[in-house]
Amino acid sequence: MKSNIILLPGDGIGVEVVSEAVRVLQVLAKKYNHEFSFSEYLMGGCAIDQYGVALTDETLKACKASDSVLLGAVGGPKWDDPNAKVRPEQGLLALRKGLGVFANLRPVKTHPALLDASPVKADRIKDVDILVVRELTGGLYFGQPKMREQVNGHTRAVDTMEYHDYEIRRVVDLAFRLALRRKKKVTSVDKANVLETSRLWRLIANGVAAEHSDVILDHMLVDTASMRLITAPTSFDVIVTENTFGDILTDEASVLAGSMGMLPSASLADSGPGLYEPIHGSAPDIAGKGIANPLGTILSCAMMLRYSLHLDEEAHAIESAVDAAITEGARTADLGGTLSTTKMADEVIRRI
Ligand code: IPM
Ligand code: MG
């Protein structure tokens, strides 16, 4: 099979982890007789430096025309001025919106060999297997108006939490379909005791649930959910929630897995290419040192193989190789080990 993959390494450790993930894909292509062609573009802070914007029209066009997009991370202190007109994160948001990837799948699974790497007690996180489905193209991130203005000598800022029924329906429906292949339980997380958008979210979620009698739905307020993720993480199967809540809860959930460096994500549209990226950021403090954990990006490639390229066996080959490498003690610094980014990827490659 021939596939055209766009690489957007971005900033900081994004560059290091994407190049290792590409090596893994190349080995896999050889083994399974596929042809993956890679084209690399600048996105994020590096694109601001080069073109003055975080995402150019040309880059977005190339992404739209591809089979899938692999992203590293964007951002860094160099572009962090709160008064700046252009920010690296704008590139990421424009890319998500441009590709229409409304559902962000963030699986959090604990590995038996990493239970002690989490600050949460080992007996509590054993067998955690959660899939967070985060709405990705709506809510506070995109709602209008969004602005800062001067009013009577004071500065006023506004963000708008906005959702349409169809935006809620499509992401909740996907969560239900994904739950069918799992433990058949969906927890819809909202703040319906306060927010109008959450009350609409609940209504729509109930409607979707009525069409899926084989899946159980429960509703949970986001503050309760943030607590239950630590006190009873094994009680969750699929969590579906709006954009901002999902952003916050997935960083929290990543603590269960021992390191953010382990966690992949897939962002999916109704049709067209998916966007695949580790959930960690650009980690400026360790950028350029060659010590970042590449597994989140490598596992994102497995998700790409599964969801965009429909290569299930190949996806599984990556996941088993990562699993075995961890079981047999391969560790980067974030997991208390000494392997470099490249050496960790080597550990995966030799098990494929
Ligand atoms: C994430 C990140 C992004 C987000 C930032 C970089 C804009 O935190 O992917 O979770 O908030 O969505
Ligand atoms: Mg985040």
Side-chain angles (χ1 to χ4, degrees):
M1 188 174 126
K2 241 176 152 166
S3 305
N4 167 18
I5 300 168
I6 301 287
L7 304 176
L8 305 173
D11 307 313
I13 61 167
V15 180
E16 299 155 54
V17 291
V18 166
S19 74
E20 296 307 328
V22 167
R23 278 207 303 132
V24 173
L25 285 174
Q26 281 164 337
V27 168
L28 205 82
K30 204 160 171 199
K31 175 160 179 193
Y32 289 87
N33 252 314
H34 299 304
E35 215 177 294
F36 298 149
S37 76
F38 300 100
S39 323
E40 193 170 317
Y41 290 81
L42 297 177
M43 206 277 282
C46 56
I48 293 177
D49 290 350
Q50 181 81 17
Y51 309 114
V53 289
L55 174 71
T56 66
D57 293 344
E58 190 207 348
T59 303
L60 178 59
K61 208 170 138 202
C63 290
K64 282 183 173 171
S66 73
D67 292 305
S68 63
V69 181
L70 180 64
L71 179 103
V74 296
K78 183 174 172 195
W79 308 280
D80 251 355
D81 175 1
N83 284 314
K85 284 260 175 321
V86 285
R87 302 181 52 86
E89 293 79 4
Q90 289 165 345
L92 182 57
L93 300 186
L95 183 65
R96 289 172 177 170
K97 199 72 174 176
L99 292 175
V101 288
F102 62 84
N104 180 216
L105 278 49
R106 297 186 166 186
V108 179
K109 225 174 151 162
T110 50
H111 192 291
L114 294 180
L115 297 182
D116 289 328
S118 171
V120 183
K121 289 194 180 80
D123 60 339
R124 214 167 267 185
I125 58 174
K126 192 175 154 281
D127 299 324
V128 163
D129 183 1
I130 304 171
L131 176 63
V132 180
V133 181
R134 167 189 176 194
E135 200 289 327
L136 204 59
T137 51
L140 278 175
Y141 280 59
F142 296 95
Q144 293 296 336
K146 189 178 202 48
M147 57 154 174
R148 216 187 298 172
E149 63 179 1
Q150 295 300 317
V151 185
N152 302 330
H154 290 282
T155 309
R156 170 178 179 258
V158 178
D159 289 291
T160 303
M161 175 87 108
E162 177 182 13
Y163 270 106
H164 291 89
D165 51 2
Y166 62 87
E167 293 173 298
I168 301 169
R169 192 171 298 116
R170 64 187 177 181
V171 71
V172 173
D173 187 67
L174 179 63
F176 270 81
R177 284 185 279 130
L178 291 165
L180 267 183
R181 297 185 228 156
R182 300 171 46 98
K183 286 180 229 137
K184 300 189 174 56
K185 181 177 168 195
V186 172
T187 304
S188 173
V189 172
D190 62 37
K191 187 71 186 171
N193 52 349
V194 177
L195 300 176
E196 202 50 47
T197 43
S198 285
R199 289 191 276 271
L200 178 61
W201 186 282
R202 239 176 224 222
L203 273 176
I204 302 291
N206 284 334
V208 173
E211 294 160 14
H212 293 271
S213 54
D214 30 11
V215 175
I216 295 171
L217 169 69
D218 63 1
H219 300 282
M220 197 177 284
L221 296 174
V222 63
D223 42 359
T224 309
S226 74
M227 182 184 68
R228 298 274 297 169
L229 268 175
I230 301 299
T231 56
T234 52
S235 65
F236 294 102
D237 178 22
V238 175
I239 292 175
V240 64
T241 191
E242 69 86 42
N243 204 345
T244 306
F245 297 161
D247 177 46
I248 298 167
L249 291 180
T250 50
D251 266 30
E252 186 192 6
S254 76
V255 169
L256 306 170
S259 165
M260 259 187 123
M262 295 292 299
L263 296 179
S265 83
S267 302
L268 307 178
D270 268 331
S271 61
L275 172 64
Y276 298 86
E277 49 173 321
I279 83 156
H280 64 70
S282 60
D285 52 323
I286 59 162
K289 293 190 180 159
I291 58 168
N293 186 344
L295 296 182
T297 314
I298 290 171
L299 289 168
S300 298
C301 292
M303 295 186 86
M304 170 192 290
L305 293 167
R306 176 166 299 123
Y307 293 109
S308 283
L309 310 182
H310 309 291
L311 300 173
D312 236 44
E313 189 185 337
E314 290 81 341
H316 195 73
I318 292 188
E319 287 161 351
S320 316
V322 167
D323 203 76
I326 290 291
T327 302
E328 287 153 37
R331 303 279 187 276
T332 36
D334 54 315
L335 298 170
T338 55
L339 288 182
S340 67
T341 309
T342 303
K343 285 268 171 349
M344 181 57 121
D346 287 342
E347 291 296 320
V348 175
I349 286 169
R350 70 184 179 84
R351 290 176 172 88
I352 283 177

